[in-house]
Amino acid sequence: MDYKETLETLYNMLPDFQKVGADAYKPGLERITDFSAALGNPHLKYRIIHVAGTNGKGSVSHMLASVLTAAGYRTGLYTSPHLRDFRERIRIDGEMIPERAVTDFTGKWMEEMRRFGLSFFEATAAMAFDYFASGEVDFAVIETGLGGRLDATNIVTPLLSIITNIGLDHTDLLGGTAADIAGEKAGIIKPGVPVVIGEKQEETERVFRDTALLGGSPIIFAEEQYHYLGRERTGVRRNGAGEAATPLEYAGITEKSADTGAGRAAGTKGMDSGGEAKSLRWGAKNAEESHPVSARAYGSEGKSAKLWNGAEWECETVNYRIQDLRDGSVGIYPCDLTGIYQRRNIVTVLSAVDILRRKYGVELPAEAVTRGLATAALSTGLEGRWQVLGRSPLVVCDTGHNAHGISQVVDQIRGERFARLYMVIGFVRDKDLSSILPLLPKDAYYIFTNPSIRRALPAGELAALAAAHGLGGRVCPTVPEAVERALSLAGKDDMVFIGGSTFVVADLLDTV
């Protein structure tokens, strides 16, 4: 089988929750435990950080992997879902798993995966465990898929568990209250293993404390260790004529310093291979004023493309001011993930770094932490988190897809300057829109659409539900059509937001 045929086999033979929803959900660890044993228990061959949470777990996983790589450790990263390419789920030092590795693993083990009755997620988790072992990683950062207690990734015993926060999502599967959901996610807390809780929430704090106490697990609430003081946007800089700086240098880190001390530079590794950078322009209506942006492209063997190579790149970073509450010191942390909500994720990562240093003696120099955060998206290929795609008009996409996440996205939209706001939104059927639609700006013009998956809520149904909340606009049946329509309406001083679902953003980025 070639790569395309392999993916078709995986999707068609194994149920995928992201595509079909609860029908694909197979809770329990028996199948993945038995199959991993057949593989030789690859997840026992390296050190693991296990990350769960309703929102932020993907960003935290990418940040932490970037920091570990910047410190010179060979680092695996397993996350889900993907946006452009299945291989985004499985990376080593930011490089996607090669197509050949996906094909070889599937061809070798498909009959066994069928025999064990694996779900799509269980199969991909096992593939990641095996790939990391064969790649001889030092660390692997493993993100849960759904919940925690019965998630396929929960066969691991990590050095550290992280739970970012709790919001009401997947309530049909995880429970109807925040405490219920916290109980499921607390299932990743292992006896004697430290756990970092990203956000201290009244409804869930006792659940986490009780679980940690029962297992003798040290528990750390990140906001008791670090306090966010504020942030400063450093602006956008491109490497046009006369500007030879790289995004690392723009973040205040020179190539020289990045190559010394801790080891490999996260922002430069792998940038000399793969596809070529593409310069894109959003908004044909205003082509003269539109702002070029760089899109990631990937080579056939999974290496990330150059994001700058004498062509145009765009880099925006934000300086986060964080106070260490234990000694009062204040640190400045540049980060290329610029969503306001990242402030909580950075505090969580800093708390995790402290534990890795102090309990396990992991060498994570301050320079590596700074460099890893400054290039977290760039070095790991993370997309869809307050991702700015254009400037004139301002075009932003974000994968926030539940009330907890979307409320933070809306807060950031309100802080932007624009003449008129256009919202391209779509959702999947199982979302609680009664808690989401009231959060959305009523003074925006909406273009209702649906992502190209079976779980999608038809755009017409979404428009009818939205109208009851005072949200008006028009329907476009596909994401590309909806975005094209929004861009045709928007002037150079307007803003276009695309989101509501991870799969809306995936459809958008597929067209870039």
Side-chain angles (χ1 to χ4, degrees):
M1 293 185 293
D2 63 17
Y3 178 62
K4 183 178 179 181
E5 292 169 336
T6 297
L7 292 186
E8 289 175 353
T9 298
L10 284 170
Y11 285 127
N12 292 333
M13 297 299 175
L14 305 175
D16 175 17
F17 177 85
Q18 302 298 342
K19 300 294 183 183
V20 303
D23 289 344
Y25 182 51
K26 289 188 172 186
L29 303 180
E30 301 83 4
R31 294 174 301 278
I32 186 69
T33 298
D34 292 344
F35 183 58
S36 292
L39 295 175
N41 290 317
H43 59 289
L44 302 180
K45 298 178 181 178
Y46 39 83
R47 294 169 286 182
I48 289 173
I49 296 94
H50 200 194
V51 186
T54 301
N55 293 301
K57 63 182 183 291
S59 294
V60 165
S61 296
H62 282 260
M63 287 180 186
L64 195 51
S66 183
V67 167
L68 288 164
T69 300
Y73 298 103
R74 188 162 172 80
T75 305
L77 175 63
Y78 176 64
T79 58
S80 62
H82 62 271
L83 292 176
R84 297 178 188 262
D85 187 331
F86 167 84
R87 296 176 299 141
E88 296 167 26
R89 296 168 178 253
I90 304 171
R91 299 176 183 267
I92 294 179
D93 288 348
E95 310 291 346
M96 294 191 297
I97 182 173
E99 291 180 358
R100 180 65 180 269
V102 176
T103 300
D104 287 351
F105 181 89
T106 304
K108 180 178 181 179
W109 294 104
M110 177 52 79
E111 289 307 314
E112 287 293 286
M113 290 191 286
R114 286 174 176 157
R115 184 171 71 83
F116 284 108
L118 299 192
S119 69
F120 176 86
F121 184 81
E122 288 169 331
T124 58
M127 183 188 298
F129 295 155
D130 186 72
Y131 181 63
F132 296 155
S134 63
E136 299 182 334
V137 301
D138 301 308
F139 288 92
V141 181
I142 306 294
E143 179 195 20
T144 61
L146 181 65
R149 180 175 64 93
L150 300 177
D151 187 79
T153 64
N154 205 29
I155 64 171
V156 306
T157 299
L159 293 183
L160 172 66
S161 301
I162 300 173
I163 302 173
T164 56
N165 55 55
I166 300 298
L168 296 180
D169 200 8
H170 303 297
T171 53
D172 56 328
L173 302 173
L174 301 179
T177 69
D180 290 339
I181 295 171
E184 290 297 317
K185 296 186 187 295
I188 73 166
I189 302 174
K190 300 298 195 300
V193 175
V195 58
V196 170
I197 308 298
E199 295 181 35
K200 193 174 184 180
Q201 298 164 282
E202 183 178 354
E203 307 94 320
T204 61
E205 179 183 353
R206 178 50 53 195
V207 175
F208 294 137
R209 289 195 184 277
D210 288 349
T211 304
L213 180 64
L214 187 64
S217 304
I219 184 169
I220 298 91
F221 288 88
E223 60 191 55
E224 294 179 351
Q225 309 296 307
Y226 291 95
H227 178 62
Y228 165 77
L229 296 176
R231 55 181 238 150
E232 178 185 32
R233 207 178 254 182
T234 59
V236 178
R237 187 172 181 181
R238 295 181 291 125
N239 73 333
E243 294 187 74
T246 69
L248 273 176
E249 292 169 333
Y250 188 60
I253 306 164
T254 65
E255 297 288 354
K256 181 178 180 180
S257 67
D259 288 333
T260 60
R264 296 188 294 266
T268 56
K269 180 175 174 58
M271 293 301 169
D272 59 349
S273 56
E276 293 189 353
K278 300 177 181 177
S279 183
L280 305 171
R281 291 183 181 271
W282 282 86
K285 177 181 176 182
N286 300 298
E288 295 80 13
E289 298 90 357
S290 62
H291 195 86
V293 297
S294 292
R296 295 181 178 89
Y298 299 101
S300 61
E301 291 305 307
K303 295 181 179 179
S304 52
K306 299 178 183 179
L307 297 185
W308 68 90
N309 59 345
E312 288 180 302
W313 55 259
E314 173 181 305
C315 178
E316 180 177 13
T317 57
V318 168
N319 286 336
Y320 293 86
R321 290 189 296 116
I322 308 292
Q323 183 178 36
D324 187 328
L325 294 176
R326 292 158 297 185
D327 61 14
S329 62
V330 176
I332 305 297
Y333 297 94
C335 186
D336 62 353
L337 291 168
T338 62
I340 291 175
Y341 50 82
Q342 299 295 353
R343 66 190 186 275
R344 294 190 176 96
N345 296 329
I346 289 175
V347 164
T348 302
V349 170
L350 293 177
S351 298
V353 165
D354 284 348
I355 293 173
L356 293 174
R357 285 170 171 164
R358 295 173 183 176
K359 182 173 178 61
Y360 299 107
V362 180
E363 293 187 15
L364 294 170
E367 182 188 38
V369 176
T370 301
R371 184 168 61 248
L373 290 174
T375 61
L378 182 70
S379 65
T380 64
L382 180 60
E383 295 190 277
R385 274 63 170 186
W386 195 261
Q387 184 172 352
V388 177
L389 297 169
R391 294 281 170 188
S392 182
L394 176 61
V395 182
V396 176
C397 68
D398 194 278
T399 56
H401 56 274
N402 51 50
H404 184 268
I406 286 176
S407 66
Q408 297 180 71
V409 170
V410 170
D411 284 346
Q412 187 152 0
I413 289 174
R414 290 187 176 122
E416 297 292 337
R417 294 181 179 180
F418 49 80
R420 189 170 190 193
L421 175 62
Y422 295 87
M423 298 278 289
V424 178
I425 61 169
F427 295 93
V428 294
R429 284 187 176 275
D430 55 10
K431 293 304 171 187
D432 178 16
L433 294 186
S434 66
S435 66
I436 294 174
L437 293 176
L439 301 173
L440 299 178
K442 289 184 170 53
D443 56 351
Y445 182 84
Y446 286 82
I447 301 176
F448 304 103
T449 189
N450 46 265
S452 57
I453 60 169
R454 283 170 53 187
R455 291 170 62 203
L457 177 69
E461 292 183 31
L462 173 58
L465 291 170
H469 293 272
L471 309 178
R474 62 170 296 163
V475 169
C476 282
T478 71
V479 173
E481 289 178 76
V483 173
E484 183 178 357
R485 178 61 177 168
L487 293 172
S488 72
L489 295 172
K492 64 183 180 65
D493 297 322
D494 295 335
M495 178 176 181
V496 176
F497 175 81
I498 305 108
S501 166
T502 298
F503 306 105
V504 168
V505 174
D507 283 356
L508 164 70
L509 296 179
D510 255 354
T511 69
V512 174

